[in-house]
Amino acid sequence: MLPYGRQSVSEEDIQAVVEVLRGDWLTTGPTVAEFERRIGEMAGGHRAVSATSGTAALHMAYAALGVGPGDEVISTPMTFVATTAMASILGAKIVFADVEEDTALLDPAAAAALVGDRTKVIAAVDYAGHPADYDALQALADTVGAVTLDDAAHSIGGTYRGRPVGDLADVTTFSFFPTKNLTTGEGGAVVAKNASVAQRAHEFHFIGLVRDADRFRIQDEGAWHQEVHEFGVNYRLTDVASALGVAQLKRLESFKLRRAQIVARYNAALDSLEAVRTPVQREDVDPVWHLYPLRVLDGRRRHVFEHMRNAGIGVQVNYMPVYWHPVYADAGYKRGMCPNAEAFYGEELSLPLFPDLSDVQVDQVIDTLAEALR
Ligand SMILES: *Cc1c(COP(=O)(O)O)cnc(C)c1O
């Protein structure tokens, strides 16, 4: 089966990992620090804290923002469940705002109708690798003293109005799962513009340990002393995984380029077909295409999905609206709430897209799709 996404691991990537395995530090060492420095550099110069997954990064981000019971988080239903689940798990109430009809990105106008005194975070997702409209979302958040969060699991390396992903929202989270734009196996990171939010994310992922003597509340212990002010978890990324991340970051530009070439090849073949809609790109955005979200019209998505899967093409559907998950339905969230997201879900089909996909394979996907539509 041709997968819809797949990692690209080079000999140099492997060598970088092997080198760390021969060294002194498997975790909490200099390669973690180097990876965080490089992520921070490409994310607008803000501090990055690495994590064991994108889900962990979201948990850290919401915890660092102090999200809890009584708070509302406005977010998009067109995402992987972790975007909102990590705020729900902290006791916040999720308020789902609908997406734009064409991009499937959080619609600032829909969010504007839902903000209020309780709004703590507006959490957008750069669906498919295309950044959301952060200038509009930030302006909206500012009106009620909320913060913006960019779940950038799809979009590391992209830009919006000339600014890099990581510099678009108050807090940004990344995922380095193998299908994403770069990988550390499992992995993720939080980037925060506010230094104390970044430090709180760091401490939360490091068991809550405080190691800054200026902040100690217990005085006159020895040089071994460290103390806990708030409970934390252990979401530390290892040096082994970070070595892969540092090596992969050097290849991100070439990954982005190859992904764009494949998207252009799909678009050229599919733009003129009546039976489908190809993905939309805003003029002020330079995306890193993580997904190729085709829309199959006339109620034929399921048929096309099954035909292509049977032909060995690993198409995927991203995503069922988050509030359809039983965990949200049980909490009272009703279908029909976000019609654009539901309509998009009804038509969406992700075609295979990853850097090592060859032109011959892309053409195979296109031919099989044409066959399915006949
Ligand atoms: C993959 C993904 C996550 C979670 O990342 P993991 O590393 O798999 O935990 C969160 N949000 C979005 C939009 C994702 O695609």
Side-chain angles (χ1 to χ4, degrees):
M1 178 85 73
L2 186 68
Y4 86 97
R6 193 187 193 285
Q7 72 275 15
S8 169
V9 175
S10 68
E11 256 334 289
E12 287 95 298
D13 293 347
I14 292 168
Q15 276 315 311
V17 171
V18 167
E19 220 168 281
V20 164
L21 284 169
R22 293 190 202 286
D24 292 332
W25 298 88
L26 294 186
T27 190
T28 71
T31 311
V32 173
E34 184 186 354
F35 185 44
E36 291 180 338
R37 198 163 53 243
R38 285 177 193 257
I39 294 284
E41 273 166 16
M42 69 171 303
H46 312 294
R47 181 175 174 191
V49 181
S50 58
T52 44
S53 70
T55 304
L58 283 158
H59 193 190
M60 288 155 60
Y62 289 122
L65 292 169
V67 168
D71 294 330
E72 292 184 359
V73 173
I74 294 180
S75 192
T76 165
M78 188 43 59
T79 186
F80 182 61
V81 64
T83 309
T84 60
M86 291 304 102
S88 295
I89 220 168
L90 289 166
K93 179 181 168 200
I94 310 300
V95 178
F96 289 100
D98 207 353
V99 297
E100 297 171 344
E101 192 277 335
D102 55 351
T103 62
L105 299 167
L106 181 61
D107 182 354
L114 298 168
V115 292
D117 291 346
R118 290 178 178 271
T119 308
K120 183 105 171 179
V121 182
I122 298 177
V125 172
D126 300 336
Y127 177 79
H130 185 299
D133 187 356
Y134 289 97
D135 282 356
L137 294 171
Q138 190 68 54
L140 179 62
D142 291 346
T143 61
V144 291
V147 297
T148 52
L149 183 148
D150 175 4
D151 178 346
H154 298 183
S155 62
I156 189 167
T159 70
Y160 162 87
R161 299 188 177 169
R163 283 147 55 207
V165 168
D167 192 40
L168 306 182
D170 292 309
V171 180
T172 302
T173 62
F174 296 116
S175 164
F176 308 128
F177 188 74
T179 56
K180 303 294 164 72
N181 293 336
L182 66 91
T183 190
T184 59
E186 296 281 1
V190 179
V191 169
K193 291 185 180 176
N194 179 308
S196 61
V197 170
Q199 179 62 21
R200 201 170 172 194
H202 170 82
E203 284 167 17
F204 180 74
H205 102 307
F206 213 106
I207 313 116
L209 293 171
V210 174
R211 290 173 158 174
D212 172 7
D214 291 342
R215 290 171 51 217
F216 284 166
R217 289 173 29 197
I218 303 167
Q219 301 296 333
D220 296 327
E221 295 296 317
W224 62 83
H225 182 66
Q226 51 186 346
E227 60 189 37
V228 169
H229 299 174
E230 287 187 294
F231 293 123
V233 293
N234 179 349
Y235 282 162
R236 290 188 301 241
L237 193 68
T238 63
D239 284 70
V240 181
S242 296
L244 182 54
V246 171
Q248 287 260 301
L249 268 178
K250 295 176 187 151
R251 305 176 59 210
L252 183 58
E253 266 309 308
S254 68
F255 289 163
K256 178 179 179 179
L257 191 67
R258 179 60 193 151
R259 285 173 175 278
Q261 286 171 346
I262 295 168
V263 165
R265 200 173 181 91
Y266 279 140
N267 283 343
L270 304 176
D271 268 341
S272 60
L273 298 190
E274 296 275 316
V276 297
R277 275 173 75 183
T278 54
V280 170
Q281 179 178 336
R282 296 273 188 259
E283 279 190 357
D284 51 2
V285 161
D286 177 26
V288 182
W289 290 107
H290 161 61
L291 299 173
Y292 185 87
L294 186 71
R295 295 175 74 165
V296 181
L297 309 180
D298 309 318
R300 297 170 76 196
R301 192 271 310 278
R302 178 125 182 204
H303 162 74
V304 172
F305 177 93
E306 282 164 4
H307 181 99
M308 295 188 78
R309 278 287 180 99
N310 288 336
I313 310 284
V315 286
Q316 188 57 275
V317 171
N318 305 92
Y319 297 93
M320 182 177 80
V322 164
Y323 58 82
W324 284 22
H325 283 282
V327 69
Y328 282 115
D330 289 350
Y333 291 86
K334 299 269 187 291
R335 290 191 182 204
M337 210 168 37
C338 297
N340 289 345
E342 295 187 13
F344 186 87
Y345 167 63
E347 298 177 344
E348 201 273 345
L349 185 75
S350 301
L351 301 185
L353 179 56
F354 52 92
D356 293 342
L357 197 64
S358 70
D359 285 352
V360 171
Q361 288 172 314
V362 172
D363 292 345
Q364 241 166 34
V365 174
I366 293 165
D367 291 346
T368 311
L369 177 70
E371 218 175 81
L373 289 169
R374 265 205 290 275

